[in-house]
Amino acid sequence: MSTDSPTPRHIPVMLERCLDALAPAISAPGAVVVDATLGLGGHSEALLTRFPEVRLVAVDRDPQALKLSGERLARFGDRATLVHAVYDEIPRVLDELGIPAVQGVLFDLGVSSMQLDEADRGFAYAQDAPLDMRMDQTRGISAAEVLNTYSHGDLARILKVYGEERFAGKIASAVLREREKEPFSTSARLVELVRNAIPAATRRTGGNPAKRTFQALRIEVNGELEVLDRAIPGALDALAVGGRIVVMSYQSLEDRLVKQYLQAGATSTAPPGLPVIPEELQPWLKLLTRGAELATEEEIEENRRAAPVRLRVAERIRETRR
């Protein structure tokens, strides 16, 4: 990593593993790699440095991230194309750039370091901040609007499904009571509400009790699972034969979705008992990780944000009808 980077404190998660996983697919001249979650540009910078002939297409929905990473990657000139887009728009972005297929795609899901570190974004429950949580603050509704306008049923649903929160109903009831007194606007009040709504025995284990509620609100505000559900098939479709996809997930809902798509592509669709399996029914992906890989203890010690990561890698092994 460049020592003169504008964001030297930023440590990309599982960087060496990502580079090694993509290397066989993107080392040849003319290779194109997509960084689907540009963030502060740590992975992109390393890709452009390690593979001097690769062309990078990087997308991010956060204008601030694009600005900072644009400064970081400026020295690479036209080898790097940065686009303001959500990662389910990758097929459109590539089409507009005239790129029919790519050799690598990298997803580093979840919240970027910049979004966590900037208090006024409202992603972190450890500090009081406006309840925003939008990755792109130019569009969509904020977390405060969700808390202040959603029905009890809708709030309980997103807390249970997106946050896997056992006490979703109790928390939703407390939110409705409290917003009658005063609308929610900052995170500290929500953290306190969640703490009080959860039984004391549960509060003593598992870290900050507001963690699951914040995760649920962030996923809802940014439509993360719906976007991912479109993004993974779109990215796989863009891969050339021999191309590789690397996905890092940070919570079980994301990882489950990624696993389903990768396993489906790596599984024959032929009925049992066929003596010869036609090519169109054979797997078109090859899984390159056994299950999901975890960060090493050494990496977690150096970068605590690597602790929950689940990494999966797959390679496209044949064409399919598009």
Side-chain angles (χ1 to χ4, degrees), residues 107 109 225 228-229 231-233 236 245-265 285 287 292 310-314:
F107 284 88
L109 301 172
L225 292 177
L228 186 62
D229 199 19
I232 297 298
L236 289 172
I245 184 171
V246 177
V247 186
M248 289 182 286
S249 307
Y250 293 80
Q251 39 99 351
S252 59
L253 296 171
E254 291 174 339
D255 184 54
R256 199 176 304 145
L257 192 57
V258 173
K259 175 184 175 182
Q260 288 169 355
Y261 276 114
L262 298 188
Q263 285 192 335
L285 285 179
L287 303 182
R310 302 290 183 270
L311 179 142
R312 295 181 186 271
V313 185

PDB file of all heavy atoms in Angstrom, residues 107 109 225 228-229 231-233 236 245-265 285 287 292 310-314:
ATOM      1  N   PHE A 107     -16.163  -8.130  -4.288  1.00  0.00           N
ATOM      2  CA  PHE A 107     -17.167  -7.517  -3.419  1.00  0.00           C
ATOM      3  C   PHE A 107     -16.641  -7.522  -1.988  1.00  0.00           C
ATOM      4  O   PHE A 107     -16.292  -8.578  -1.458  1.00  0.00           O
ATOM      5  CB  PHE A 107     -18.474  -8.319  -3.416  1.00  0.00           C
ATOM      6  CG  PHE A 107     -19.339  -8.165  -4.628  1.00  0.00           C
ATOM      7  CD1 PHE A 107     -19.149  -8.979  -5.734  1.00  0.00           C
ATOM      8  CD2 PHE A 107     -20.372  -7.241  -4.659  1.00  0.00           C
ATOM      9  CE1 PHE A 107     -19.959  -8.877  -6.853  1.00  0.00           C
ATOM     10  CE2 PHE A 107     -21.186  -7.121  -5.769  1.00  0.00           C
ATOM     11  CZ  PHE A 107     -20.983  -7.940  -6.880  1.00  0.00           C
ATOM     12  N   LEU A 109     -18.458  -6.425   1.128  1.00  0.00           N
ATOM     13  CA  LEU A 109     -19.793  -5.960   1.501  1.00  0.00           C
ATOM     14  C   LEU A 109     -19.796  -5.242   2.850  1.00  0.00           C
ATOM     15  O   LEU A 109     -18.771  -5.146   3.525  1.00  0.00           O
ATOM     16  CB  LEU A 109     -20.753  -7.151   1.520  1.00  0.00           C
ATOM     17  CG  LEU A 109     -20.879  -7.891   0.181  1.00  0.00           C
ATOM     18  CD1 LEU A 109     -21.696  -9.178   0.349  1.00  0.00           C
ATOM     19  CD2 LEU A 109     -21.525  -7.008  -0.886  1.00  0.00           C
ATOM     20  N   LEU A 225     -29.923  -6.221   0.964  1.00  0.00           N
ATOM     21  CA  LEU A 225     -30.121  -7.607   0.532  1.00  0.00           C
ATOM     22  C   LEU A 225     -30.795  -7.678  -0.834  1.00  0.00           C
ATOM     23  O   LEU A 225     -30.458  -8.533  -1.657  1.00  0.00           O
ATOM     24  CB  LEU A 225     -30.918  -8.382   1.573  1.00  0.00           C
ATOM     25  CG  LEU A 225     -30.177  -8.622   2.887  1.00  0.00           C
ATOM     26  CD1 LEU A 225     -31.066  -9.336   3.891  1.00  0.00           C
ATOM     27  CD2 LEU A 225     -28.900  -9.421   2.659  1.00  0.00           C
ATOM     28  N   LEU A 228     -28.057  -6.884  -3.273  1.00  0.00           N
ATOM     29  CA  LEU A 228     -27.131  -8.013  -3.399  1.00  0.00           C
ATOM     30  C   LEU A 228     -27.761  -9.158  -4.191  1.00  0.00           C
ATOM     31  O   LEU A 228     -27.079  -9.829  -4.976  1.00  0.00           O
ATOM     32  CB  LEU A 228     -26.721  -8.496  -2.003  1.00  0.00           C
ATOM     33  CG  LEU A 228     -25.636  -9.574  -1.951  1.00  0.00           C
ATOM     34  CD1 LEU A 228     -24.327  -9.078  -2.559  1.00  0.00           C
ATOM     35  CD2 LEU A 228     -25.412 -10.040  -0.506  1.00  0.00           C
ATOM     36  N   ASP A 229     -29.055  -9.347  -4.001  1.00  0.00           N
ATOM     37  CA  ASP A 229     -29.772 -10.412  -4.707  1.00  0.00           C
ATOM     38  C   ASP A 229     -29.764 -10.187  -6.221  1.00  0.00           C
ATOM     39  O   ASP A 229     -29.857 -11.145  -6.995  1.00  0.00           O
ATOM     40  CB  ASP A 229     -31.215 -10.470  -4.188  1.00  0.00           C
ATOM     41  CG  ASP A 229     -31.887 -11.789  -4.498  1.00  0.00           C
ATOM     42  OD1 ASP A 229     -31.185 -12.781  -4.777  1.00  0.00           O
ATOM     43  OD2 ASP A 229     -33.130 -11.838  -4.478  1.00  0.00           O
ATOM     44  N   ALA A 231     -27.193  -8.152  -7.565  1.00  0.00           N
ATOM     45  CA  ALA A 231     -25.799  -7.875  -7.922  1.00  0.00           C
ATOM     46  C   ALA A 231     -24.989  -9.137  -8.195  1.00  0.00           C
ATOM     47  O   ALA A 231     -24.180  -9.166  -9.134  1.00  0.00           O
ATOM     48  CB  ALA A 231     -25.133  -7.063  -6.819  1.00  0.00           C
ATOM     49  N   ILE A 232     -25.159 -10.182  -7.393  1.00  0.00           N
ATOM     50  CA  ILE A 232     -24.345 -11.382  -7.577  1.00  0.00           C
ATOM     51  C   ILE A 232     -24.631 -12.044  -8.928  1.00  0.00           C
ATOM     52  O   ILE A 232     -23.688 -12.343  -9.681  1.00  0.00           O
ATOM     53  CB  ILE A 232     -24.528 -12.373  -6.409  1.00  0.00           C
ATOM     54  CG1 ILE A 232     -24.053 -11.736  -5.089  1.00  0.00           C
ATOM     55  CG2 ILE A 232     -23.776 -13.669  -6.677  1.00  0.00           C
ATOM     56  CD1 ILE A 232     -22.589 -11.366  -5.053  1.00  0.00           C
ATOM     57  N   PRO A 233     -25.888 -12.266  -9.317  1.00  0.00           N
ATOM     58  CA  PRO A 233     -26.122 -12.824 -10.654  1.00  0.00           C
ATOM     59  C   PRO A 233     -25.591 -11.924 -11.766  1.00  0.00           C
ATOM     60  O   PRO A 233     -25.050 -12.413 -12.767  1.00  0.00           O
ATOM     61  CB  PRO A 233     -27.647 -12.940 -10.736  1.00  0.00           C
ATOM     62  CG  PRO A 233     -28.118 -12.932  -9.343  1.00  0.00           C
ATOM     63  CD  PRO A 233     -27.139 -12.117  -8.563  1.00  0.00           C
ATOM     64  N   LEU A 236     -21.762 -12.348 -11.882  1.00  0.00           N
ATOM     65  CA  LEU A 236     -21.401 -13.664 -12.421  1.00  0.00           C
ATOM     66  C   LEU A 236     -21.609 -13.695 -13.934  1.00  0.00           C
ATOM     67  O   LEU A 236     -20.803 -14.272 -14.673  1.00  0.00           O
ATOM     68  CB  LEU A 236     -22.236 -14.758 -11.752  1.00  0.00           C
ATOM     69  CG  LEU A 236     -21.902 -15.044 -10.279  1.00  0.00           C
ATOM     70  CD1 LEU A 236     -22.925 -15.996  -9.685  1.00  0.00           C
ATOM     71  CD2 LEU A 236     -20.499 -15.613 -10.144  1.00  0.00           C
ATOM     72  N   ILE A 245     -14.609 -14.546  -9.120  1.00  0.00           N
ATOM     73  CA  ILE A 245     -15.344 -13.635  -8.241  1.00  0.00           C
ATOM     74  C   ILE A 245     -14.923 -13.913  -6.806  1.00  0.00           C
ATOM     75  O   ILE A 245     -14.789 -15.068  -6.398  1.00  0.00           O
ATOM     76  CB  ILE A 245     -16.878 -13.787  -8.407  1.00  0.00           C
ATOM     77  CG1 ILE A 245     -17.628 -12.752  -7.546  1.00  0.00           C
ATOM     78  CG2 ILE A 245     -17.351 -15.204  -8.083  1.00  0.00           C
ATOM     79  CD1 ILE A 245     -19.124 -12.690  -7.827  1.00  0.00           C
ATOM     80  N   VAL A 246     -14.668 -12.828  -6.067  1.00  0.00           N
ATOM     81  CA  VAL A 246     -14.319 -12.902  -4.650  1.00  0.00           C
ATOM     82  C   VAL A 246     -15.340 -12.073  -3.887  1.00  0.00           C
ATOM     83  O   VAL A 246     -15.558 -10.901  -4.216  1.00  0.00           O
ATOM     84  CB  VAL A 246     -12.900 -12.352  -4.390  1.00  0.00           C
ATOM     85  CG1 VAL A 246     -12.582 -12.361  -2.891  1.00  0.00           C
ATOM     86  CG2 VAL A 246     -11.858 -13.150  -5.163  1.00  0.00           C
ATOM     87  N   VAL A 247     -15.968 -12.681  -2.884  1.00  0.00           N
ATOM     88  CA  VAL A 247     -16.979 -11.968  -2.100  1.00  0.00           C
ATOM     89  C   VAL A 247     -16.655 -12.097  -0.623  1.00  0.00           C
ATOM     90  O   VAL A 247     -16.483 -13.216  -0.112  1.00  0.00           O
ATOM     91  CB  VAL A 247     -18.401 -12.517  -2.358  1.00  0.00           C
ATOM     92  CG1 VAL A 247     -19.433 -11.651  -1.627  1.00  0.00           C
ATOM     93  CG2 VAL A 247     -18.715 -12.581  -3.846  1.00  0.00           C
ATOM     94  N   MET A 248     -16.585 -10.952   0.053  1.00  0.00           N
ATOM     95  CA  MET A 248     -16.412 -10.923   1.498  1.00  0.00           C
ATOM     96  C   MET A 248     -17.703 -10.412   2.139  1.00  0.00           C
ATOM     97  O   MET A 248     -18.142  -9.299   1.855  1.00  0.00           O
ATOM     98  CB  MET A 248     -15.231 -10.028   1.887  1.00  0.00           C
ATOM     99  CG  MET A 248     -13.891 -10.624   1.536  1.00  0.00           C
ATOM    100  SD  MET A 248     -12.505  -9.568   2.059  1.00  0.00           S
ATOM    101  CE  MET A 248     -12.613  -8.259   0.832  1.00  0.00           C
ATOM    102  N   SER A 249     -18.298 -11.246   2.980  1.00  0.00           N
ATOM    103  CA  SER A 249     -19.530 -10.894   3.685  1.00  0.00           C
ATOM    104  C   SER A 249     -19.224 -10.715   5.167  1.00  0.00           C
ATOM    105  O   SER A 249     -18.290 -11.323   5.692  1.00  0.00           O
ATOM    106  CB  SER A 249     -20.574 -11.997   3.508  1.00  0.00           C
ATOM    107  OG  SER A 249     -20.777 -12.300   2.147  1.00  0.00           O
ATOM    108  N   TYR A 250     -20.072  -9.930   5.825  1.00  0.00           N
ATOM    109  CA  TYR A 250     -19.821  -9.621   7.238  1.00  0.00           C
ATOM    110  C   TYR A 250     -20.964 -10.031   8.156  1.00  0.00           C
ATOM    111  O   TYR A 250     -20.875  -9.849   9.356  1.00  0.00           O
ATOM    112  CB  TYR A 250     -19.524  -8.128   7.405  1.00  0.00           C
ATOM    113  CG  TYR A 250     -18.218  -7.749   6.748  1.00  0.00           C
ATOM    114  CD1 TYR A 250     -18.152  -7.534   5.376  1.00  0.00           C
ATOM    115  CD2 TYR A 250     -17.046  -7.655   7.486  1.00  0.00           C
ATOM    116  CE1 TYR A 250     -16.957  -7.216   4.754  1.00  0.00           C
ATOM    117  CE2 TYR A 250     -15.845  -7.341   6.876  1.00  0.00           C
ATOM    118  CZ  TYR A 250     -15.806  -7.125   5.502  1.00  0.00           C
ATOM    119  OH  TYR A 250     -14.612  -6.828   4.886  1.00  0.00           O
ATOM    120  N   GLN A 251     -22.040 -10.539   7.582  1.00  0.00           N
ATOM    121  CA  GLN A 251     -23.111 -11.075   8.412  1.00  0.00           C
ATOM    122  C   GLN A 251     -23.782 -12.220   7.668  1.00  0.00           C
ATOM    123  O   GLN A 251     -23.655 -12.365   6.460  1.00  0.00           O
ATOM    124  CB  GLN A 251     -24.102  -9.972   8.843  1.00  0.00           C
ATOM    125  CG  GLN A 251     -24.429  -8.949   7.800  1.00  0.00           C
ATOM    126  CD  GLN A 251     -25.739  -9.216   7.083  1.00  0.00           C
ATOM    127  OE1 GLN A 251     -26.337 -10.253   7.238  1.00  0.00           O
ATOM    128  NE2 GLN A 251     -26.175  -8.275   6.282  1.00  0.00           N
ATOM    129  N   SER A 252     -24.478 -13.053   8.423  1.00  0.00           N
ATOM    130  CA  SER A 252     -24.939 -14.341   7.910  1.00  0.00           C
ATOM    131  C   SER A 252     -25.936 -14.207   6.769  1.00  0.00           C
ATOM    132  O   SER A 252     -25.965 -15.053   5.870  1.00  0.00           O
ATOM    133  CB  SER A 252     -25.561 -15.156   9.044  1.00  0.00           C
ATOM    134  OG  SER A 252     -26.651 -14.469   9.621  1.00  0.00           O
ATOM    135  N   LEU A 253     -26.759 -13.163   6.771  1.00  0.00           N
ATOM    136  CA  LEU A 253     -27.753 -13.007   5.699  1.00  0.00           C
ATOM    137  C   LEU A 253     -27.078 -12.794   4.353  1.00  0.00           C
ATOM    138  O   LEU A 253     -27.470 -13.388   3.343  1.00  0.00           O
ATOM    139  CB  LEU A 253     -28.680 -11.827   6.014  1.00  0.00           C
ATOM    140  CG  LEU A 253     -29.547 -11.971   7.271  1.00  0.00           C
ATOM    141  CD1 LEU A 253     -30.248 -10.654   7.570  1.00  0.00           C
ATOM    142  CD2 LEU A 253     -30.562 -13.085   7.108  1.00  0.00           C
ATOM    143  N   GLU A 254     -26.041 -11.953   4.336  1.00  0.00           N
ATOM    144  CA  GLU A 254     -25.278 -11.730   3.102  1.00  0.00           C
ATOM    145  C   GLU A 254     -24.610 -13.025   2.650  1.00  0.00           C
ATOM    146  O   GLU A 254     -24.698 -13.422   1.485  1.00  0.00           O
ATOM    147  CB  GLU A 254     -24.185 -10.685   3.329  1.00  0.00           C
ATOM    148  CG  GLU A 254     -24.649  -9.277   3.558  1.00  0.00           C
ATOM    149  CD  GLU A 254     -23.492  -8.355   3.925  1.00  0.00           C
ATOM    150  OE1 GLU A 254     -22.437  -8.842   4.389  1.00  0.00           O
ATOM    151  OE2 GLU A 254     -23.655  -7.141   3.752  1.00  0.00           O
ATOM    152  N   ASP A 255     -23.912 -13.659   3.589  1.00  0.00           N
ATOM    153  CA  ASP A 255     -23.142 -14.843   3.228  1.00  0.00           C
ATOM    154  C   ASP A 255     -24.045 -15.958   2.715  1.00  0.00           C
ATOM    155  O   ASP A 255     -23.692 -16.681   1.770  1.00  0.00           O
ATOM    156  CB  ASP A 255     -22.329 -15.322   4.429  1.00  0.00           C
ATOM    157  CG  ASP A 255     -21.432 -16.500   4.090  1.00  0.00           C
ATOM    158  OD1 ASP A 255     -20.638 -16.380   3.130  1.00  0.00           O
ATOM    159  OD2 ASP A 255     -21.536 -17.540   4.757  1.00  0.00           O
ATOM    160  N   ARG A 256     -25.215 -16.103   3.313  1.00  0.00           N
ATOM    161  CA  ARG A 256     -26.160 -17.138   2.885  1.00  0.00           C
ATOM    162  C   ARG A 256     -26.593 -16.910   1.445  1.00  0.00           C
ATOM    163  O   ARG A 256     -26.679 -17.846   0.643  1.00  0.00           O
ATOM    164  CB  ARG A 256     -27.369 -17.124   3.823  1.00  0.00           C
ATOM    165  CG  ARG A 256     -28.219 -18.379   3.807  1.00  0.00           C
ATOM    166  CD  ARG A 256     -29.308 -18.274   4.854  1.00  0.00           C
ATOM    167  NE  ARG A 256     -28.750 -18.020   6.173  1.00  0.00           N
ATOM    168  CZ  ARG A 256     -29.352 -17.261   7.092  1.00  0.00           C
ATOM    169  NH1 ARG A 256     -30.487 -16.648   6.830  1.00  0.00           N
ATOM    170  NH2 ARG A 256     -28.791 -17.096   8.267  1.00  0.00           N
ATOM    171  N   LEU A 257     -26.857 -15.660   1.110  1.00  0.00           N
ATOM    172  CA  LEU A 257     -27.293 -15.319  -0.241  1.00  0.00           C
ATOM    173  C   LEU A 257     -26.177 -15.595  -1.253  1.00  0.00           C
ATOM    174  O   LEU A 257     -26.410 -16.188  -2.315  1.00  0.00           O
ATOM    175  CB  LEU A 257     -27.710 -13.847  -0.285  1.00  0.00           C
ATOM    176  CG  LEU A 257     -28.459 -13.339  -1.497  1.00  0.00           C
ATOM    177  CD1 LEU A 257     -29.738 -14.126  -1.726  1.00  0.00           C
ATOM    178  CD2 LEU A 257     -28.805 -11.857  -1.306  1.00  0.00           C
ATOM    179  N   VAL A 258     -24.964 -15.167  -0.932  1.00  0.00           N
ATOM    180  CA  VAL A 258     -23.818 -15.399  -1.812  1.00  0.00           C
ATOM    181  C   VAL A 258     -23.596 -16.896  -1.999  1.00  0.00           C
ATOM    182  O   VAL A 258     -23.403 -17.387  -3.125  1.00  0.00           O
ATOM    183  CB  VAL A 258     -22.553 -14.730  -1.234  1.00  0.00           C
ATOM    184  CG1 VAL A 258     -21.319 -15.111  -2.042  1.00  0.00           C
ATOM    185  CG2 VAL A 258     -22.727 -13.214  -1.201  1.00  0.00           C
ATOM    186  N   LYS A 259     -23.627 -17.637  -0.907  1.00  0.00           N
ATOM    187  CA  LYS A 259     -23.429 -19.090  -0.954  1.00  0.00           C
ATOM    188  C   LYS A 259     -24.438 -19.750  -1.878  1.00  0.00           C
ATOM    189  O   LYS A 259     -24.083 -20.633  -2.675  1.00  0.00           O
ATOM    190  CB  LYS A 259     -23.554 -19.654   0.466  1.00  0.00           C
ATOM    191  CG  LYS A 259     -23.482 -21.168   0.561  1.00  0.00           C
ATOM    192  CD  LYS A 259     -23.715 -21.619   1.991  1.00  0.00           C
ATOM    193  CE  LYS A 259     -23.758 -23.140   2.089  1.00  0.00           C
ATOM    194  NZ  LYS A 259     -24.030 -23.593   3.490  1.00  0.00           N
ATOM    195  N   GLN A 260     -25.685 -19.339  -1.798  1.00  0.00           N
ATOM    196  CA  GLN A 260     -26.726 -19.950  -2.630  1.00  0.00           C
ATOM    197  C   GLN A 260     -26.431 -19.763  -4.115  1.00  0.00           C
ATOM    198  O   GLN A 260     -26.559 -20.712  -4.904  1.00  0.00           O
ATOM    199  CB  GLN A 260     -28.094 -19.353  -2.276  1.00  0.00           C
ATOM    200  CG  GLN A 260     -28.625 -19.806  -0.934  1.00  0.00           C
ATOM    201  CD  GLN A 260     -29.846 -19.018  -0.476  1.00  0.00           C
ATOM    202  OE1 GLN A 260     -30.265 -18.051  -1.128  1.00  0.00           O
ATOM    203  NE2 GLN A 260     -30.428 -19.415   0.632  1.00  0.00           N
ATOM    204  N   TYR A 261     -26.042 -18.549  -4.504  1.00  0.00           N
ATOM    205  CA  TYR A 261     -25.778 -18.296  -5.923  1.00  0.00           C
ATOM    206  C   TYR A 261     -24.538 -19.055  -6.408  1.00  0.00           C
ATOM    207  O   TYR A 261     -24.541 -19.622  -7.510  1.00  0.00           O
ATOM    208  CB  TYR A 261     -25.621 -16.800  -6.178  1.00  0.00           C
ATOM    209  CG  TYR A 261     -26.936 -16.104  -6.359  1.00  0.00           C
ATOM    210  CD1 TYR A 261     -27.383 -15.153  -5.439  1.00  0.00           C
ATOM    211  CD2 TYR A 261     -27.753 -16.387  -7.446  1.00  0.00           C
ATOM    212  CE1 TYR A 261     -28.605 -14.528  -5.598  1.00  0.00           C
ATOM    213  CE2 TYR A 261     -28.984 -15.764  -7.605  1.00  0.00           C
ATOM    214  CZ  TYR A 261     -29.405 -14.836  -6.681  1.00  0.00           C
ATOM    215  OH  TYR A 261     -30.618 -14.212  -6.841  1.00  0.00           O
ATOM    216  N   LEU A 262     -23.488 -19.068  -5.599  1.00  0.00           N
ATOM    217  CA  LEU A 262     -22.270 -19.748  -6.029  1.00  0.00           C
ATOM    218  C   LEU A 262     -22.486 -21.265  -6.089  1.00  0.00           C
ATOM    219  O   LEU A 262     -22.033 -21.928  -7.035  1.00  0.00           O
ATOM    220  CB  LEU A 262     -21.108 -19.402  -5.102  1.00  0.00           C
ATOM    221  CG  LEU A 262     -20.694 -17.924  -5.047  1.00  0.00           C
ATOM    222  CD1 LEU A 262     -19.407 -17.762  -4.241  1.00  0.00           C
ATOM    223  CD2 LEU A 262     -20.523 -17.322  -6.431  1.00  0.00           C
ATOM    224  N   GLN A 263     -23.175 -21.808  -5.097  1.00  0.00           N
ATOM    225  CA  GLN A 263     -23.413 -23.249  -5.113  1.00  0.00           C
ATOM    226  C   GLN A 263     -24.327 -23.658  -6.268  1.00  0.00           C
ATOM    227  O   GLN A 263     -24.141 -24.722  -6.853  1.00  0.00           O
ATOM    228  CB  GLN A 263     -24.001 -23.696  -3.779  1.00  0.00           C
ATOM    229  CG  GLN A 263     -22.982 -23.744  -2.656  1.00  0.00           C
ATOM    230  CD  GLN A 263     -23.494 -24.465  -1.425  1.00  0.00           C
ATOM    231  OE1 GLN A 263     -24.698 -24.540  -1.185  1.00  0.00           O
ATOM    232  NE2 GLN A 263     -22.573 -24.980  -0.630  1.00  0.00           N
ATOM    233  N   ALA A 264     -25.302 -22.813  -6.579  1.00  0.00           N
ATOM    234  CA  ALA A 264     -26.204 -23.129  -7.691  1.00  0.00           C
ATOM    235  C   ALA A 264     -25.437 -23.221  -9.003  1.00  0.00           C
ATOM    236  O   ALA A 264     -25.656 -24.132  -9.809  1.00  0.00           O
ATOM    237  CB  ALA A 264     -27.303 -22.076  -7.793  1.00  0.00           C
ATOM    238  N   GLY A 265     -24.496 -22.297  -9.215  1.00  0.00           N
ATOM    239  CA  GLY A 265     -23.704 -22.324 -10.443  1.00  0.00           C
ATOM    240  C   GLY A 265     -22.724 -23.475 -10.496  1.00  0.00           C
ATOM    241  O   GLY A 265     -22.298 -23.888 -11.576  1.00  0.00           O
ATOM    242  N   LEU A 285     -19.782 -22.933 -12.764  1.00  0.00           N
ATOM    243  CA  LEU A 285     -18.879 -22.324 -11.785  1.00  0.00           C
ATOM    244  C   LEU A 285     -18.104 -23.425 -11.065  1.00  0.00           C
ATOM    245  O   LEU A 285     -18.612 -24.544 -10.898  1.00  0.00           O
ATOM    246  CB  LEU A 285     -19.656 -21.518 -10.736  1.00  0.00           C
ATOM    247  CG  LEU A 285     -20.253 -20.169 -11.094  1.00  0.00           C
ATOM    248  CD1 LEU A 285     -20.986 -19.602  -9.884  1.00  0.00           C
ATOM    249  CD2 LEU A 285     -19.193 -19.194 -11.582  1.00  0.00           C
ATOM    250  N   LEU A 287     -16.205 -23.842  -7.358  1.00  0.00           N
ATOM    251  CA  LEU A 287     -15.947 -23.223  -6.057  1.00  0.00           C
ATOM    252  C   LEU A 287     -14.472 -23.406  -5.697  1.00  0.00           C
ATOM    253  O   LEU A 287     -13.949 -24.522  -5.758  1.00  0.00           O
ATOM    254  CB  LEU A 287     -16.830 -23.850  -4.979  1.00  0.00           C
ATOM    255  CG  LEU A 287     -18.339 -23.803  -5.224  1.00  0.00           C
ATOM    256  CD1 LEU A 287     -19.092 -24.417  -4.040  1.00  0.00           C
ATOM    257  CD2 LEU A 287     -18.810 -22.380  -5.471  1.00  0.00           C
ATOM    258  N   ALA A 292     -16.790 -21.081   3.693  1.00  0.00           N
ATOM    259  CA  ALA A 292     -16.353 -19.681   3.751  1.00  0.00           C
ATOM    260  C   ALA A 292     -15.050 -19.600   4.533  1.00  0.00           C
ATOM    261  O   ALA A 292     -14.933 -20.183   5.614  1.00  0.00           O
ATOM    262  CB  ALA A 292     -17.417 -18.817   4.407  1.00  0.00           C
ATOM    263  N   ARG A 310     -16.480 -13.387   6.070  1.00  0.00           N
ATOM    264  CA  ARG A 310     -16.596 -14.713   5.459  1.00  0.00           C
ATOM    265  C   ARG A 310     -16.289 -14.529   3.978  1.00  0.00           C
ATOM    266  O   ARG A 310     -16.989 -13.797   3.285  1.00  0.00           O
ATOM    267  CB  ARG A 310     -18.012 -15.267   5.633  1.00  0.00           C
ATOM    268  CG  ARG A 310     -18.472 -15.394   7.080  1.00  0.00           C
ATOM    269  CD  ARG A 310     -17.727 -16.506   7.801  1.00  0.00           C
ATOM    270  NE  ARG A 310     -18.189 -16.694   9.174  1.00  0.00           N
ATOM    271  CZ  ARG A 310     -17.701 -16.076  10.222  1.00  0.00           C
ATOM    272  NH1 ARG A 310     -16.729 -15.174  10.073  1.00  0.00           N
ATOM    273  NH2 ARG A 310     -18.147 -16.327  11.435  1.00  0.00           N
ATOM    274  N   LEU A 311     -15.213 -15.184   3.500  1.00  0.00           N
ATOM    275  CA  LEU A 311     -14.748 -14.987   2.128  1.00  0.00           C
ATOM    276  C   LEU A 311     -15.048 -16.222   1.293  1.00  0.00           C
ATOM    277  O   LEU A 311     -14.774 -17.351   1.703  1.00  0.00           O
ATOM    278  CB  LEU A 311     -13.254 -14.683   2.125  1.00  0.00           C
ATOM    279  CG  LEU A 311     -12.595 -14.466   0.758  1.00  0.00           C
ATOM    280  CD1 LEU A 311     -11.545 -13.363   0.841  1.00  0.00           C
ATOM    281  CD2 LEU A 311     -11.951 -15.756   0.242  1.00  0.00           C
ATOM    282  N   ARG A 312     -15.610 -15.996   0.084  1.00  0.00           N
ATOM    283  CA  ARG A 312     -15.891 -17.078  -0.861  1.00  0.00           C
ATOM    284  C   ARG A 312     -15.327 -16.698  -2.225  1.00  0.00           C
ATOM    285  O   ARG A 312     -15.396 -15.532  -2.635  1.00  0.00           O
ATOM    286  CB  ARG A 312     -17.398 -17.338  -0.965  1.00  0.00           C
ATOM    287  CG  ARG A 312     -18.020 -17.857   0.333  1.00  0.00           C
ATOM    288  CD  ARG A 312     -19.509 -18.119   0.201  1.00  0.00           C
ATOM    289  NE  ARG A 312     -20.096 -18.470   1.484  1.00  0.00           N
ATOM    290  CZ  ARG A 312     -20.177 -19.718   1.966  1.00  0.00           C
ATOM    291  NH1 ARG A 312     -19.721 -20.726   1.223  1.00  0.00           N
ATOM    292  NH2 ARG A 312     -20.706 -19.961   3.144  1.00  0.00           N
ATOM    293  N   VAL A 313     -14.797 -17.686  -2.935  1.00  0.00           N
ATOM    294  CA  VAL A 313     -14.203 -17.478  -4.252  1.00  0.00           C
ATOM    295  C   VAL A 313     -14.748 -18.530  -5.211  1.00  0.00           C
ATOM    296  O   VAL A 313     -14.878 -19.700  -4.848  1.00  0.00           O
ATOM    297  CB  VAL A 313     -12.661 -17.596  -4.205  1.00  0.00           C
ATOM    298  CG1 VAL A 313     -12.066 -17.243  -5.566  1.00  0.00           C
ATOM    299  CG2 VAL A 313     -12.080 -16.710  -3.108  1.00  0.00           C
ATOM    300  N   ALA A 314     -15.070 -18.110  -6.442  1.00  0.00           N
ATOM    301  CA  ALA A 314     -15.506 -19.047  -7.474  1.00  0.00           C
ATOM    302  C   ALA A 314     -14.937 -18.620  -8.819  1.00  0.00           C
ATOM    303  O   ALA A 314     -14.615 -17.445  -9.032  1.00  0.00           O
ATOM    304  CB  ALA A 314     -17.028 -19.114  -7.539  1.00  0.00           C
TER     305      ALA A 314
END
